[in-house]
Amino acid sequence: MAEQTQIEIKPPQPAHLSDAGDDQVLEQQVRFFKSGTRKREDSWVISLFVVLHIVAFAATMFVNDCWQNSHRDCAIKVLGRLSFQPLWENPLLGPSSSTLDEMGALQQTFLANHHQTWRLFTCLWLHAGAIHLIINLSSVIFVGIHLEQEFGPLRIAMVYILSAFFGSLVAALFLQNSPAVGSSGALFGLLGSMLSGLICNWKVYTDKLAALSALLLVAMINFALGLLPYVDNFSSLGGFISGVLLGFVLLFSPRLPRMTEKKGGFFDYGVKKSIRLKQKLDRPVLRSVSFVLFGLVLAGAIVAVLHGIDMNKYCSWCQYINCVPSNRWSCNTKVTACQTMENAGRLTVTCMGKDNFRVFPFTSFSETRLHDLCDLICS
């Protein structure tokens, strides 16, 4: 009788979650800026925010009504009611300062003296002008849609909203007597979270230097824009800090492309799924510390704003971070007073305490418009 030989067949053992296993999976690296790899439905959050910003700017220009309030002394007059204030008043092709105040911009007088804390939320949706709107929203689309496709709409919506709010809190600590809009805080929050996402997933991406260069370029352009009137750079700085901390908390793993059936069997898929779980549970100390730090700085900023702390008392040069004085625009941050005189259908507005004056060929100005002109003449 022939002797039977038993052969024991063992299934392949799944790889352990070691550094070697991580390196094996991470050999499938991807580009940070990919095109055409995600569905359009994955970018609905950023698209919604962009639409809301455009609607808010259109409403601002409708309320501004330069055609009537400024007696047709407007830029791009073909727009009629939606035309912009002259460039010497608003170099960003936008509304007057009184219109920004009316629409909910931040200003020291309204926030500190009248306690209008609702402006911390309304200023997030305002833009200083068409140039600010185009550059800001183009940057949001460029950075935000990619991040939303990479990390999902829920996480990016949290980064966007929380960074915008924290940016407005920081801006409130450095307010002057001129309107400030904080829409750039959300953008810089996205940039900060983009930096955190790159750091947390450094081995996943192949074009890290290109991504960092794009981040730096977008940040420099928008920060330079904040050196013009009405755009608040402290909102941008606050949003960036918030974005970095929230990025370490939320952007722990990108949505990598799935393996095809031809490239891996059942056990390979199990290994990749386990490593993805490990990535989600990885770096608990970094995520926990970042979460605690964000909670502390958020609570501290809220308390400081509610107590009316003015950081300008401790930093006399900080005002130049928000607006650099120039002969082409006004960075007036002081309370002004003017004297008006009517003569032969003309109105002369003279800045009290200075020899500056200007004569207008009409007299029918509203009180808010006279206040705008007074600020410009005294600056």
Side-chain angles (χ1 to χ4, degrees), residues 7-63:
I7 301 176
E8 184 179 359
I9 301 177
K10 297 181 179 181
Q13 298 295 325
H16 296 288
L17 297 179
S18 60
D19 294 337
D22 288 348
D23 294 339
Q24 182 178 0
V25 173
L26 291 176
E27 287 179 0
Q28 185 186 358
Q29 291 182 319
V30 296
R31 293 178 59 85
F32 189 84
F33 290 110
K34 302 181 291 294
S35 59
T37 57
R38 303 293 183 191
K39 297 180 180 180
R40 294 182 179 180
E41 291 79 2
D42 292 337
S43 59
W44 66 269
V45 166
I46 294 297
S47 301
L48 175 61
F49 288 141
V50 168
V51 171
L52 291 176
H53 280 296
I54 294 175
V55 171
F57 183 73
T60 302
M61 297 311 304
F62 183 84
V63 172

Side-chain angles (χ1 to χ4, degrees), residues 287-300:
R287 300 221 313 274
S288 300
V289 171
S290 299
F291 179 77
V292 171
L293 283 177
F294 175 74
L296 290 175
V297 295
L298 179 62

Side-chain angles (χ1 to χ4, degrees), residues 40 64 116 139 153 156 215-216 227 309 320 349 377:
R40 294 182 179 180
N64 184 68
Q116 297 179 358
S139 302
I156 298 307
L215 187 155
L216 181 62
L227 300 177
I309 295 178
Y320 300 111
V349 182
I377 294 171

Side-chain angles (χ1 to χ4, degrees), residues 57 60-61 64 75 84-100 127-132 179 181 228-231 328-330 369 376:
F57 183 73
T60 302
M61 297 311 304
N64 184 68
F84 311 115
Q85 297 300 126
L87 292 176
W88 59 270
E89 182 176 353
N90 188 333
L92 293 170
L93 291 177
S96 63
S97 60
S98 59
T99 299
L100 290 175
H127 286 80
I131 297 176
H132 182 210
V181 297
L228 298 175
Y230 310 134
V231 183
R328 298 185 178 181
W329 59 77
S330 171
R369 184 58 186 158
L376 295 169

Side-chain angles (χ1 to χ4, degrees), residues 47-334:
S47 301
L48 175 61
F49 288 141
V50 168
V51 171
L52 291 176
H53 280 296
I54 294 175
V55 171
F57 183 73
T60 302
M61 297 311 304
F62 183 84
V63 172
N64 184 68
D65 194 4
C66 177
W67 193 254
Q68 179 177 354
N69 294 330
S70 297
H71 297 273
R72 302 187 179 184
D73 182 17
C74 310
I76 312 183
K77 298 180 180 180
V78 294
L79 296 177
R81 184 186 180 109
L82 300 179
S83 56
F84 311 115
Q85 297 300 126
L87 292 176
W88 59 270
E89 182 176 353
N90 188 333
L92 293 170
L93 291 177
S96 63
S97 60
S98 59
T99 299
L100 290 175
D101 288 335
E102 185 178 355
M103 296 299 294
L106 286 174
Q107 190 177 140
Q108 188 179 51
T109 303
F110 297 124
L111 196 61
N113 299 338
H114 302 287
H115 306 288
Q116 297 179 358
T117 53
W118 53 269
R119 292 179 178 271
L120 293 170
F121 303 95
T122 54
C123 74
L124 307 178
W125 305 101
L126 301 179
H127 286 80
I131 297 176
H132 182 210
L133 178 79
I134 293 172
I135 295 178
N136 182 264
L137 293 188
S138 298
S139 302
V140 168
I141 292 172
F142 174 69
V143 177
I145 285 184
H146 166 74
L147 289 177
E148 186 178 352
Q149 293 174 345
E150 195 76 3
F151 297 99
L154 179 60
R155 288 186 278 181
I156 298 307
M158 293 175 63
V159 171
Y160 191 98
I161 295 173
L162 291 175
S163 296
F165 178 61
F166 183 74
S168 70
L169 291 174
V170 176
L173 298 175
F174 294 89
L175 283 179
Q176 302 281 346
N177 289 311
S178 59
V181 297
S183 55
S184 296
L187 167 62
F188 275 81
L190 294 177
L191 291 174
S193 65
M194 174 180 169
L195 178 61
S196 300
L198 277 171
I199 294 174
C200 290
N201 306 283
W202 189 259
K203 293 183 179 180
V204 175
Y205 301 112
T206 60
D207 56 343
K208 295 177 281 288
L209 294 181
L212 290 174
S213 300
L215 187 155
L216 181 62
L217 179 62
V218 173
M220 289 177 60
I221 292 175
N222 284 273
F223 190 84
L225 200 65
L227 300 177
L228 298 175
Y230 310 134
V231 183
D232 198 289
N233 265 339
F234 288 105
S235 173
S236 302
L237 293 175
F240 185 80
I241 295 173
S242 173
V244 170
L245 294 176
L246 289 172
F248 284 131
V249 176
L250 298 173
L251 308 189
F252 41 80
S253 62
R255 301 192 296 185
L256 296 175
R258 294 183 179 180
M259 295 175 60
T260 59
E261 295 182 359
K262 295 181 179 180
K263 291 185 179 181
F266 175 81
F267 293 100
D268 293 332
Y269 177 76
V271 172
K272 185 168 184 180
K273 187 175 182 180
S274 299
I275 292 181
R276 281 183 175 177
L277 178 62
K278 184 203 172 192
Q279 288 176 344
K280 292 183 179 181
L281 300 177
D282 200 8
R283 304 184 185 91
V285 175
L286 176 61
R287 300 221 313 274
S288 300
V289 171
S290 299
F291 179 77
V292 171
L293 283 177
F294 175 74
L296 290 175
V297 295
L298 179 62
I302 292 175
V303 171
V305 171
L306 292 179
H307 282 76
I309 295 178
D310 183 7
M311 294 301 297
N312 294 298
K313 296 179 180 179
Y314 311 99
C315 180
S316 58
W317 54 267
C318 286
Q319 58 180 322
Y320 300 111
I321 297 179
N322 256 346
C323 185
V324 175
S326 172
N327 295 330
R328 298 185 178 181
W329 59 77
S330 171
C331 290
N332 188 31
T333 59
K334 299 179 181 179

Side-chain angles (χ1 to χ4, degrees), residues 343-358:
N343 184 18
R346 295 185 177 186
L347 180 68
T348 302
V349 182
T350 306
C351 179
M352 298 179 64
K354 292 186 178 181
D355 296 332
N356 299 350
F357 69 93
R358 187 167 180 178

